[in-house]
Amino acid sequence: MSVFHFELRSLPPEAEAFREEVRVFLKEALGDRAAVRRARSWGGFDPEFSRKLGARGWIGLTWPKRYGGQERSFLERYVLLEELLASGAPAGAHWVAERQSGPLLLRFGTEPQRERFLPAIVRGELSFAIGMSEPDSGSDLASIRTRAVRADGGYVVNGTKVWTSNAHRSQYAIALFRTAVVPDKKHEGLSQFLVDLKSPGITIRPIINLAGSHDFNEVIFQDAFVPEDMRVGEEGAGWKQVTTELAFERSGPERYLSSIQLLIETIREVGKEPGERAAVTIGRLVAHLATLRQMSLSVARMLQAGQNPNLEAAVVKDVGTSFEQEIPETIHALLGVEPRLSSGSPFERTLGFLMEHAPSFSLRGGTREVLRGIIARGLGLR
Ligand SMILES: Cc1cc2nc3c(=O)[nH]c(=O)nc-3n(C[C@H](O)[C@H](O)[C@H](O)COP(=O)(O)OP(=O)(O)OC[C@H]3O[C@@H](n4cnc5c(N)ncnc54)[C@H](O)[C@@H]3O)c2cc1C
């Protein structure tokens, strides 16, 4: 049986020094923003904030300087993400582009694609959506049916994507389409494309989530044209690329910090001398948080070393999303405060917001059951 491996180490001094710089910037940029707004975390979409962060050089921190990056370490990037999440910064307008679209282009894109898109992402001017899921293909992503058929100078696309977060607010999506049907080999014949979401033949329809807000969409392609030079990587190599992309998507601190604002507010709420039950509950949550952080940091170190920690990233996401889902329930039980949505105290509304959104934490980016399947395969158990 294989094993997974997490290495515990502290952060290098330059990463901790960078943390102070980021804190000063965020304090100034966010001011005394209410806890319920901070609780939106990387779901908060604010292009102006992203442009400010870009102006500091803090988007694409690890990317090559020739594309506008800073060539800094993955550990410094980790510190930046931690601080953005802990402060509840509205980082959603650049989050996907920085986390996965840019790294995908760095790995598989053409030089003209990199030159065209990466500097604009770095400046915080471009938002990307992820066009993977379809009405009949979520966990079983290889079963997608949206077709891209070769035409003069490119491809004509027909089909539907679903749950496409921020498609209505983004300029581009990186989408997975079927370019060939290979009988009995559904992982073959898939290709990735950079899609201009304003192109003719693309309709974006809102899907209202269970919290009543419009974050994701249905994206319908009806004879939409995608030029040849917008294909990412080789035709038919989409499956290998998309699984690499999912590894970027699953390994970060956003997979255990989604409820952090509620934990911070609870610590404020119980004060400096909490009762025994509050102290034990908060102590347990903080101990879990510290352990998860070490595991997640270990994944960042493996990425820095050029390794491919898919198994470890799946473990962090599975345990991390269970943790961030547990926080609202545990705090509700501890304090007996009612979760509220529109009226009520800031604390009640922060609790209400997270209660409503927590179910999605273990769905987005791959469900718990699917991750456990990946972990079992990585350990040689299936
Ligand atoms: C907030 C949010 C944002 C999202 N944003 C995007 C986005 O931007 N772009 C995008 O492409 N998608 C996005 N998604 C979609 C997400 O990736 C899918 O919901 C997810 O992959 C599950 O697919 P599904 O909804 O079709 O469920 P299904 O695959 O139908 O799964 C239903 C249930 O069956 C279980 N199941 C399925 N297969 C197995 C198996 N082999 N073994 C055991 N159990 C299994 C699942 O765990 C789940 O509990 C988003 C989802 C959410 C909740």
Side-chain angles (χ1 to χ4, degrees), residues 291-368:
T291 311
L292 271 162
R293 177 169 183 262
Q294 283 295 343
M295 290 165 69
S296 172
L297 265 169
S298 168
V299 175
R301 278 191 211 100
M302 287 187 248
L303 287 172
Q304 172 78 35
Q307 297 163 10
N308 212 357
N310 281 348
L311 170 61
E312 285 80 0
V315 173
V316 171
K317 182 174 185 291
D318 179 29
V319 185
T321 53
S322 298
F323 171 74
E324 55 185 22
Q325 273 178 338
E326 181 201 333
I327 291 178
E329 285 295 346
T330 304
I331 286 169
H332 184 218
L334 172 70
L335 298 179
V337 173
E338 277 311 303
R340 292 190 195 280
L341 299 176
S342 46
S343 59
S345 70
F347 187 84
E348 288 166 334
R349 285 194 291 133
T350 307
L351 180 61
F353 177 87
L354 283 164
M355 280 274 192
E356 268 199 330
H357 285 79
S360 70
F361 298 165
S362 59
L363 298 175
R364 58 187 186 187
T367 67
R368 169 173 293 133

Side-chain angles (χ1 to χ4, degrees), residues 22-61:
V22 176
R23 279 191 182 166
V24 171
F25 167 82
L26 290 172
K27 203 160 178 213
E28 157 103 37
L30 303 178
D32 56 358
R33 175 174 297 239
V36 71
R37 277 183 76 200
R38 291 176 188 263
R40 293 190 67 79
S41 188
W42 53 290
F45 196 98
D46 181 349
E48 201 188 318
F49 174 79
S50 293
R51 280 195 290 271
K52 266 191 205 162
L53 203 67
R56 288 300 299 255
W58 291 349
I59 300 179
L61 202 63

Side-chain angles (χ1 to χ4, degrees), residues 1 68 173 201 337 374:
M1 194 178 94
V337 173
I374 295 170

Side-chain angles (χ1 to χ4, degrees), residues 42 96 99-100 128-141 161-167 174 209 215-217 246 249-250 357 359-373 377 382:
W42 53 290
V96 164
R99 178 183 69 188
Q100 62 195 84
F128 275 72
I130 304 165
M132 293 190 195
S133 308
E134 296 188 6
D136 297 314
S137 308
S139 302
D140 183 13
L141 185 59
K161 293 288 170 186
V162 78
W163 317 125
T164 322
S165 300
N166 292 322
I174 291 195
N209 64 20
D215 292 327
F216 46 34
N217 303 272
L246 286 170
E249 186 177 348
R250 287 176 179 156
H357 285 79
S360 70
F361 298 165
S362 59
L363 298 175
R364 58 187 186 187
T367 67
R368 169 173 293 133
E369 292 73 20
V370 166
L371 290 168
R372 289 185 183 172
R377 190 173 298 117
R382 63 187 278 252

